[in-house]
Amino acid sequence: MKPLMSIEGLSTVFNTEEGKVAAVDQVSFQVREGETVCIVGESGCGKSVTAMSIMGLVEEPGGRVAGGQIGFQGENLLELDKNTLRSIRGNEIAMIFQEPMSSLNPVMKIGEQIMEPLVVHLKMKKKEARLRAIELIRQVGISRPEQIAGSYPHELSGGMLQRIMIAVAISCSPKLLIADEPTTALDVTIQAQILDMLRDFKESKGMSILLITHDLGVVAEMADYVIVMYSGKIVEEGEVVKLFNNPRHPYTRGLLKSKPVAGQRLEELYSIPGQVPNPLALAPSCYFHDRCGHCMPVCRSRQPQLKELGGGQKAACWLYEEAEIHA
């Protein structure tokens, strides 16, 4: 599979009253054609900011993309003017946002919101776009699509709104679908239906998916390739089966250990000790050292680089840099 999107050295910073925060720090990865890549990590690790940076939705004065490249079909998205980027966003690259109630326009009817990208990007007439919107509502498994098209967001449940967000995102048959926590706050049954739907659309439309989640169960079910982020950096990546069977970074091991296992009864669920470091006070060290059971003196003074460990797995950990520890 050839790369659909290649990200190199992406860095995104935000301005705060106390100083600049590097929410994404020198992140590099690829999404290949027909592949599902999952970005996983605790809240605040930079997953959603990575997605927003790709979509061109991080703007000054609040924040900015400070460096790097986002290659998509031979073009660097960071070098495009706003009009060109707008023609790609929602058309060739679409996004399912984390909170559908706050992402949908509360004063526009559902049908109008699905019609909008069809009219703007595919130049459909309104009558044709409305028929297509009704068909999309039906495709995402909602009954009474004509009635739903005439409803407002507040009249629908959370699960229905998430399906509408998917309908909006797939309306123009994008090549890349970014799904940011698409099953958050949904019950298990609805969550399974949403994931099945994404998988079906991926296969039928030949899309690639960049899925952002903190749920390792979702990762195991959906991913071909996994990227683990911590404090704005990638600390491990690899094919899903290899990473789950042989996690190399202590943080990845902690995440997998924290996941409840069906059939196992424990007195207390495991949690990674300590707290995520203050992003305003990050030292030139391994950001995970205060929470790591393998911490060495070098971990407190130098930052490890992402290293190829064989079998397609990479990890940024001094455990695999013995030659350099004593250099």
Side-chain angles (χ1 to χ4, degrees):
M1 293 183 291
K2 64 179 182 179
L4 176 66
M5 181 178 68
S6 297
I7 293 177
E8 297 291 338
L10 180 65
S11 296
T12 303
V13 299
F14 287 94
N15 302 312
T16 71
E17 291 182 356
E18 284 117 7
K20 294 185 184 299
V21 172
V24 176
D25 187 4
Q26 293 291 314
V27 163
S28 301
F29 65 91
Q30 293 182 338
V31 180
R32 294 176 174 82
E33 291 182 355
E35 182 180 48
T36 298
V37 173
C38 282
I39 302 180
V40 65
E42 294 171 284
S43 296
C45 71
K47 307 186 299 295
S48 295
V49 176
T50 299
M52 299 291 276
S53 301
I54 294 169
M55 295 295 288
L57 298 176
V58 179
E59 296 184 343
E60 295 190 81
R64 65 185 177 90
V65 176
Q69 296 184 359
I70 303 174
F72 181 76
Q73 298 191 130
E75 294 186 285
N76 181 3
L77 298 183
L78 299 179
E79 294 178 348
L80 301 179
D81 60 69
K82 288 187 176 182
N83 287 335
T84 305
L85 183 59
R86 199 174 291 122
S87 70
I88 293 173
R89 185 170 57 216
N91 185 16
E92 297 182 72
I93 304 176
M95 185 167 175
I96 303 169
F97 292 93
Q98 192 171 142
E99 295 291 342
M101 182 57 82
S102 59
S103 301
L104 292 168
N105 190 326
V107 298
M108 280 181 69
K109 292 180 179 179
I110 294 297
E112 293 171 342
Q113 299 193 55
I114 301 175
M115 289 166 58
E116 188 171 18
L118 297 171
V119 172
V120 171
H121 295 299
L122 302 185
K123 309 303 180 186
M124 285 188 180
K125 301 294 184 183
K126 286 192 175 182
K127 185 176 180 180
E128 181 187 5
R130 179 169 177 78
L131 291 174
R132 177 61 179 151
I134 291 170
E135 177 57 28
L136 283 164
I137 295 171
R138 184 180 289 110
Q139 282 184 24
V140 296
I142 300 178
S143 58
R144 300 175 291 110
E146 294 88 353
Q147 181 179 338
I148 295 299
S151 302
Y152 290 95
H154 71 271
E155 298 178 282
L156 307 185
S157 67
M160 293 174 76
L161 289 174
Q162 195 62 285
R163 290 168 187 265
I164 295 300
M165 285 294 299
I166 293 173
V168 173
I170 67 167
S171 60
C172 296
S173 297
K175 292 181 173 65
L176 175 63
L177 178 65
I178 301 174
D180 187 4
E181 302 276 10
T183 58
T184 297
L186 301 179
D187 64 53
V188 177
T189 303
I190 301 299
Q191 173 177 297
Q193 292 172 359
I194 295 295
L195 295 178
D196 286 342
M197 192 181 304
L198 290 176
R199 194 183 297 107
D200 290 344
F201 283 128
K202 174 195 169 185
E203 297 299 326
S204 64
K205 296 180 180 294
M207 295 187 306
S208 299
I209 296 178
L210 180 61
L211 178 61
I212 294 165
T213 183
H214 62 269
D215 188 331
L216 291 168
V218 171
V219 174
E221 186 175 346
M222 294 290 293
D224 298 308
Y225 196 84
V226 184
I227 293 166
V228 182
M229 290 187 69
Y230 186 79
S231 291
K233 283 189 169 293
I234 295 176
V235 295
E236 184 167 0
E237 61 179 88
E239 295 175 14
V240 62
V241 174
K242 292 178 180 177
L243 187 138
F244 270 62
N245 289 339
N246 185 26
R248 309 300 294 272
H249 196 281
Y251 177 60
T252 310
R253 293 174 191 159
L255 288 177
L256 291 169
K257 193 175 177 182
S258 302
K259 186 181 185 301
V261 179
Q264 275 190 12
R265 296 188 64 181
L266 302 173
E267 289 185 8
E268 187 175 340
L269 289 173
Y270 176 81
S271 64
I272 300 173
Q275 299 292 326
V276 176
N278 182 349
L280 287 164
L282 292 174
S285 63
C286 171
Y287 297 157
F288 190 63
H289 75 267
D290 279 346
R291 308 175 72 186
C292 181
H294 301 279
C295 183
M296 300 175 284
V298 68
C299 303
R300 301 178 185 278
S301 59
R302 294 166 61 192
Q303 194 169 87
Q305 300 301 308
L306 202 62
K307 180 180 180 180
E308 176 69 54
L309 302 179
Q313 279 183 272
K314 297 179 183 179
C317 181
W318 285 113
L319 288 172
Y320 310 108
E321 298 281 4
E322 291 184 19
E324 294 191 25
I325 291 175
H326 305 292

